[in-house]
């Protein structure tokens, strides 16, 4: 995975010899090479969408899933998004990849419904590059109407950094997405250094509290202060709250006490391939029993 490593080292400004000392030429050759591999990956359909369940903490049931892309490369095996999404964004390949993820995730959601599952949403991550693309609305509307899908079942995850730069245009796009019937959530909430005023003006439905606030929730009183404050604020603003990165029973119990609406994390289910997720839906885990005996 040398090319990917080299590319990432460069992009993160770590030209500091951790991976390689090399010329600008070698770096751009590596980048071009990776870019070609990503193009081929799209052509040869090497991407997969995995699904991670979101649970309603009060009811203890699965309410939906987040779609997370993976690249099953014959050369590098299973590549996580952190290792190719940045390059896909830089090269614009995120547009066709993102569209493929959207379509695949919506198709999968339709399968769940046809299998007689209770209503479930699927949430899809959007990159800034996709978001500013003129065709975005048309693309999404097309996918949903092709599949005859209830648009309410599609949630789009946006980050604060994506929302902020061009606030007026963003507002129009978000309003248009709401008119189409989609749900909107703010991903990695709390990490974006942005003003909170957008929460008042933008038609957001859900805040996803970043996993960095959840990790030490039971040991760090600053984290629990922040998490309870976010939940209180969200309730007043009529937003729902998802805690990301829930890994322990202790975290889940505390979040339940704080009246957090939803949980996502390894404790409740790791991201899994589509077939595995369908099996998971048949035999979901008992969230209530997970919280028993925890003080
Ligand atoms: P994200 O949207 O914040 O997704 C959550 C990430 O946290 C996922 O990593 C997930 O596997 C991981 N995670 C879930 N539960 C836990 C937990 O309990 N503990 C820990 N340590 N991690 C947990 P993943 O799948 O590697 O994705 C990383 C990021 O890549 C995503 O962060 C998202 O920003 C981006 N991404 C993934 N799929 C797509 C996509 O289709 N399009 C775009 N534009 N970005 C994507
Ligand atoms: Mg996300
Ligand atoms: Mg996140
Ligand atoms: Mg993220």
């Amino acid at each position: 995975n040398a090319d990917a490593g080299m590319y990432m080292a460069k992009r993160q400004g770590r030209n500091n010899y951790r991976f390689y000392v090399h010329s600008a030429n070698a770096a751009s050759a590596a980048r071009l090479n990776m870019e070609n591999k990503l193009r081929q990956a799209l052509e040869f359909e090497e991407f997969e969408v995995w699904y991670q369940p979101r649970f309603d903490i009060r009811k203890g049931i699965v309410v939906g899933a987040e779609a997370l892309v993976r690249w099953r490369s014959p050369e590098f095996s299973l590549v996580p998004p952190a290792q190719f999404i940045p390059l896909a964004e830089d090269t614009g390949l995120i547009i066709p990849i993102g569209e493929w993820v959207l379509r695949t995730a919506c198709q999968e959601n339709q399968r769940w419904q046809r299998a007689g599952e209770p209503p479930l949403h699927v949430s899809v991550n959007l990159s800034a590059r996709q978001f500013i693309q003129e065709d975005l609305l048309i693309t999404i509307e097309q996918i949903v109407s092709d599949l005859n899908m209830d648009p309410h079942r599609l949630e789009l995850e946006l980050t604060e950094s994506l929302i902020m730069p061009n606030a007026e245009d963003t507002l129009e796009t978000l309003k248009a997405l709401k008119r189409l019937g989609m749900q909107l959530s703010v991903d990695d909430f709390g990490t974006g250094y942005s003003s909170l005023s957008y929460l008042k003006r933008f038609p957001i439905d859900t805040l996803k509290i970043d996993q960095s606030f959840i990790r030490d929730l039971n040991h760090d009183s600053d984290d629990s202060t922040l998490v309870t404050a976010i939940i209180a604020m969200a309730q007043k603003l009529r937003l729902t709250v998802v805690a990301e990165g829930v890994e322990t029973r202790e975290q889940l119990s505390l979040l339940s006490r704080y009246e957090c609406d939803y949980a996502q994390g390894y404790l409740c289910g790791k991201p899994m391939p589509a077939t595995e997720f369908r099996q998971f839906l048949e035999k979901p885990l008992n969230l209530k029993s997970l919280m028993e005996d925890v003080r």
Side-chain angles (χ1 to χ4, degrees), residues 22-220:
H22 56 80
S23 67
N25 276 345
S28 64
R31 184 191 141 105
L32 195 64
N33 186 22
M34 278 307 286
E35 183 179 342
N36 286 332
K37 288 189 170 136
L38 269 188
R39 256 179 233 291
Q40 283 175 11
L42 200 57
E43 188 183 339
F44 298 141
E45 297 182 24
E46 290 168 11
F47 295 108
E48 294 177 8
V49 180
W50 287 30
Y51 300 88
Q52 183 178 34
R54 179 187 297 176
F55 275 84
D56 180 317
I57 299 178
R58 290 181 195 87
K59 296 183 185 155
I61 57 168
V62 182
V63 292
E66 177 168 3
L68 295 158
V69 71
R70 302 286 182 261
W71 174 18
R72 190 171 300 279
S73 152
E75 188 176 347
F76 310 128
S77 70
L78 197 67
V79 188
Q83 282 182 35
F84 65 89
I85 292 281
L87 178 61
E89 285 172 341
D90 288 357
T91 55
L93 281 168
I94 192 66
I95 306 279
I97 296 173
E99 184 176 339
W100 181 84
V101 171
L102 265 168
R103 190 176 292 278
T104 305
C106 290
Q107 273 166 347
E108 187 59 28
N109 181 273
Q110 289 289 79
R111 270 204 203 216
W112 304 334
Q113 300 324 149
R114 280 200 303 273
E117 299 297 342
L120 298 168
H121 75 264
V122 69
S123 64
V124 177
N125 295 282
L126 282 192
S127 288
R129 185 80 182 248
Q130 285 172 280
F131 194 69
I132 56 171
Q133 188 220 4
E134 274 180 33
D135 292 351
L136 178 75
L137 289 166
I138 296 168
T139 304
I140 295 181
E141 194 173 17
Q142 191 68 52
I143 290 172
V144 166
S145 73
D146 283 352
L147 294 168
N148 199 12
M149 176 186 185
D150 176 356
H152 202 68
R153 303 257 164 87
L154 175 60
E155 178 178 297
L156 300 168
E157 298 196 2
L158 318 160
T159 57
E160 290 175 293
S161 54
L162 177 156
I163 294 176
M164 290 326 283
N166 204 340
E168 286 321 307
D169 291 353
T170 304
L171 181 58
E172 288 316 309
T173 308
L174 295 180
K175 280 183 178 164
L177 288 168
K178 284 308 293 179
R179 278 196 297 273
L180 292 176
M182 281 97 205
Q183 310 266 1
L184 303 175
S185 59
V186 181
D187 203 354
D188 307 338
F189 183 76
T191 60
Y193 305 105
S194 58
S195 134
L196 289 175
S197 62
Y198 75 90
L199 291 177
K200 195 173 67 180
R201 301 197 297 129
F202 290 11
I204 302 287
D205 303 289
T206 301
L207 303 181
K208 299 192 70 179
I209 305 179
D210 190 68
Q211 54 189 54
S212 58
F213 300 105
I214 307 301
R215 196 168 300 133
D216 299 319
L217 191 60
N218 295 73
H219 317 286
D220 186 329

